[in-house]
Amino acid sequence: MRVVVTGFDSRGGVEPLVALAVRLRERGAEVTVCLPPDEEFERRLTGAGVRMVPFGAPVRPLATKPGPPDLPRRAAEVIAGQREVLGKLEADVLVATGVMPACAGARTIAEELGARYVYATFQQLTLPSPDHPPIAYPGRPFPENADVEQLWDWDRDSINLLFRDVVNADRRGQGLPPIDDVRDYVITPQPLLAADPVLSPWREAELRVVQTGAWLLPDERPLPADLLAFLDAGEPPVYVGFGSMPMHDTDPEQVVEAVRRHGRRMVLSRGWADLTSVGDDCFVTGEANHQALFRRCAAVVHHGGAGTTVTAAWSGAPQVVVPQGADQPYWAQRVAELGIGAAHAGPVPTAESLSAALGIALDRADQAKSVAATISTDGAARAAKMLAP
């Protein structure tokens, strides 16, 4: 069986695809992963022995560029880049993840290839439900005093306003009929929710969602020797990293000061914001094996991406989530509700605000360890069995 997995996402959206590809390969499937050509993406997939075929332009320059994005133009560029590559592949199953227009473009290509199309998401806020609101799109703030049902109507209308013309232009170029509702076309009646059921339980709604659990894979990559030496030289540090977030308004020294107020050393991840600092108590690192690193940390401070949240929960380290947008406020709320850490108020941490949140998280270490034992680790294997029975 030939399975093609495509996504347009940040670095955190790549790790689950590595897990899925490895589990599919174990079932005898021929797997190809199509992603933008960011160096980090290619390095991670190649290191795991997964075939990657790049398409389009890198994500990082777009994600870190200040100012509001031109979403329809970007969507058209992504769809065109996908078509150039995906349309030349052979597939029995095409799995799409990431942003809505990219998934719409992928489904159109699946139609042309005669492949089974499957939509998967790592968070449930793109799936209509009476239990939670959707994510607002830039330039389309929610109407005031709207209830959840009205917000989901607004979400549908926003997606169609931003992306329907782009999607239908691509379809028209292939001689295919237009679609009326981009969201329904992308999600399908039975999407996969690759999120842990303890961290993010799905409650029954109109959609027949299949919650597989998070797509996790034991990461055997060793930590760099100099980072290991730092970890071995003292008490467990606090990890601080904001992944693919640009963090334009964040002063790294405010973050460092917040950790120092607790008498803790820290590991600071540069991330896409290129954060840095100096001092014997602060180790600045590039990309590293989060599974191995988080298990040696007293706490994990991060932006609240789905992948970082579940990895920190799995490690047993308490968390501070500093949400920047999209689904991240949801994960911050869940971390606080489960008692495995704290939700920082707002996207810009100061020494005072982050120190307060870190104090709460450090006091919740026992609960974090308890919840870690409940995290499901077979989500990728479950999904692979469904895709390649």
Side-chain angles (χ1 to χ4, degrees):
M1 175 171 287
R2 300 160 299 181
V3 181
V4 173
V5 183
T6 186
F8 188 90
D9 208 335
S10 60
R11 174 64 182 86
V14 175
E15 202 65 29
L17 303 188
V18 175
L20 178 64
V22 169
R23 297 307 184 209
L24 282 167
R25 196 171 55 200
E26 291 172 350
R27 297 188 63 81
E30 177 186 322
V31 186
T32 301
V33 178
C34 293
L35 295 171
D38 290 77
E39 181 182 349
E40 300 99 316
F41 301 177
E42 295 192 63
R43 185 169 56 244
R44 180 66 183 107
L45 286 159
T46 301
V50 175
R51 181 191 180 211
M52 175 179 159
V53 176
F55 73 84
V59 174
R60 182 169 181 169
L62 298 175
T64 56
K65 181 180 179 180
D70 182 348
L71 294 180
R73 178 181 59 81
R74 286 192 184 180
E77 292 171 350
V78 170
I79 289 173
Q82 274 186 321
R83 172 162 298 287
E84 185 176 346
V85 174
L86 283 179
K88 298 176 182 177
L89 298 177
E90 295 181 341
D92 300 301
V93 180
L94 196 157
V95 181
T97 67
V99 298
M100 191 69 63
C103 293
R107 184 171 183 186
T108 295
I109 293 170
E111 283 185 52
E112 299 171 55
L113 296 176
R116 174 189 170 202
Y117 166 84
V118 178
Y119 172 74
T121 179
F122 309 131
Q123 47 77 26
Q124 59 177 274
L125 302 190
T126 55
L127 305 177
S129 167
D131 293 319
H132 58 75
I135 300 169
Y137 280 83
R140 293 280 293 173
F142 289 145
E144 295 183 5
N145 303 317
D147 60 25
V148 172
E149 182 178 358
Q150 291 169 328
L151 291 178
W152 279 110
D153 289 341
W154 183 260
D155 176 73
R156 178 199 59 224
D157 294 342
S158 297
I159 291 170
N160 286 333
L161 178 68
L162 290 167
F163 306 127
R164 184 168 57 193
D165 287 348
V166 172
V167 172
N168 281 334
D170 174 64
R171 293 178 62 81
R172 186 165 55 249
Q174 310 309 312
L176 296 172
I179 59 171
D180 294 326
D181 191 315
V182 175
R183 189 182 69 193
D184 284 354
Y185 179 70
V186 166
I187 291 173
T188 76
Q190 193 170 26
L192 300 185
L193 175 57
D196 185 81
V198 172
L199 291 180
S200 182
W202 174 260
R203 297 175 178 85
E204 291 300 321
E206 291 183 10
L207 287 173
R208 292 181 286 115
V209 172
V210 178
Q211 185 162 21
T212 63
W215 295 349
L216 299 170
L217 185 74
D219 192 342
E220 305 298 334
R221 293 176 297 166
L223 293 173
D226 52 353
L227 175 53
L228 279 173
F230 178 81
L231 294 170
D232 291 339
E235 294 297 313
V238 171
Y239 169 91
V240 179
F242 301 108
S244 305
M245 298 297 102
M247 306 302 290
H248 294 303
D249 298 322
T250 295
D251 179 358
E253 295 310 314
Q254 291 284 306
V255 173
V256 172
E257 173 60 23
V259 177
R260 285 175 176 158
R261 290 186 182 189
H262 290 272
R264 300 279 182 169
R265 305 183 305 150
M266 71 178 295
V267 173
L268 178 65
S269 175
R270 293 187 188 92
W272 285 8
D274 289 323
L275 301 178
T276 190
S277 186
V278 295
D280 293 340
D281 60 347
C282 180
F283 185 95
V284 180
T285 185
E287 182 172 331
N289 178 343
H290 279 178
Q291 294 176 21
L293 179 54
F294 290 178
R295 291 188 179 107
R296 299 201 57 179
C297 290
V300 175
V301 179
H302 62 98
H303 58 296
T308 309
T309 302
V310 71
T311 301
W314 187 23
S315 76
Q319 311 178 43
V320 176
V321 179
V322 186
Q324 302 301 298
D327 59 324
Q328 296 162 18
Y330 168 79
W331 293 112
Q333 178 184 349
R334 290 299 299 149
V335 163
E337 289 173 348
L338 288 167
I340 60 175
H344 182 271
V348 182
T350 65
E352 291 75 16
S353 65
L354 185 56
S355 176
L358 181 57
I360 294 171
L362 290 168
D363 286 341
R364 294 177 171 177
D366 289 344
Q367 176 66 2
K369 288 184 175 61
S370 177
V371 170
T374 71
I375 300 297
S376 172
T377 59
D378 64 349
R382 291 187 62 201
K385 186 175 181 179
M386 295 175 56
L387 298 168

